[in-house]
Amino acid sequence: QVQLVESGGGLVQAGGSLRLSCAASGRTFSSYAMGWFRQARGKEREFVAFISKSGSSTYYADSVKGRFTISRDNAKNTVYLQMNSLRPEDTAVYYCAAAPKSRVVVTLGEYDYWGQGTQVTVSS
């Protein structure tokens, strides 16, 4: 069992930055690939970024490539999402998720554990 708790969301102006954190419980954090997803009001949850178990491999949605950076610290059981050059269309609830996979995972159904989400609002 893995419990995930996101933090770091908030209100920011367009062009600004935020760093989201996702703290995981348990001693098996390094056994899970991690992902960030987001869900805007009235829309489906969508993939944002992926990081492999060791952190050596990352993958991004086209909409955030070059602006967002995913990273992890296995010693701290934490995964991060650095978000720069934020746009109003990035406004959403952001979720982290854990998948016991050894390949890139972008679909919701392949993630076993989810956090409760943190709201990010970007004003124009």
Side-chain angles (χ1 to χ4, degrees):
Q1 187 94 10
V2 177
Q3 293 185 326
L4 304 172
V5 179
E6 301 96 335
S7 61
L11 173 64
V12 64
Q13 288 188 333
S17 299
L18 281 175
R19 188 176 83 153
L20 306 183
S21 299
C22 172
S25 65
R27 293 176 289 180
T28 59
F29 179 68
S30 60
S31 298
Y32 291 87
M34 299 297 294
W36 283 97
F37 290 75
R38 66 186 181 186
Q39 187 167 17
R41 185 171 297 181
K43 296 188 176 181
E44 294 186 351
R45 195 170 299 188
E46 64 177 5
F47 168 78
V48 174
F50 165 91
I51 190 165
S52 61
K53 297 176 186 179
S54 67
S56 61
S57 177
T58 58
Y59 186 78
Y60 298 92
D62 287 344
S63 59
V64 307
K65 201 173 295 183
R67 301 188 298 122
F68 290 11
T69 302
I70 188 171
S71 62
R72 67 188 295 164
D73 185 337
N74 285 346
K76 296 183 177 180
N77 283 9
T78 303
V79 61
Y80 305 96
L81 185 68
Q82 177 67 44
M83 304 185 296
N84 298 330
S85 302
L86 283 161
R87 304 167 180 168
E89 54 264 38
D90 294 318
T91 295
V93 177
Y94 283 71
Y95 300 87
C96 67
K101 304 289 186 182
S102 297
R103 55 176 173 79
V104 176
V105 183
V106 302
T107 55
L108 279 71
E110 294 193 270
Y111 285 83
D112 291 356
Y113 302 103
W114 292 83
Q116 83 290 346
T118 185
Q119 176 71 48
V120 171
T121 303
V122 185
S123 63
S124 57

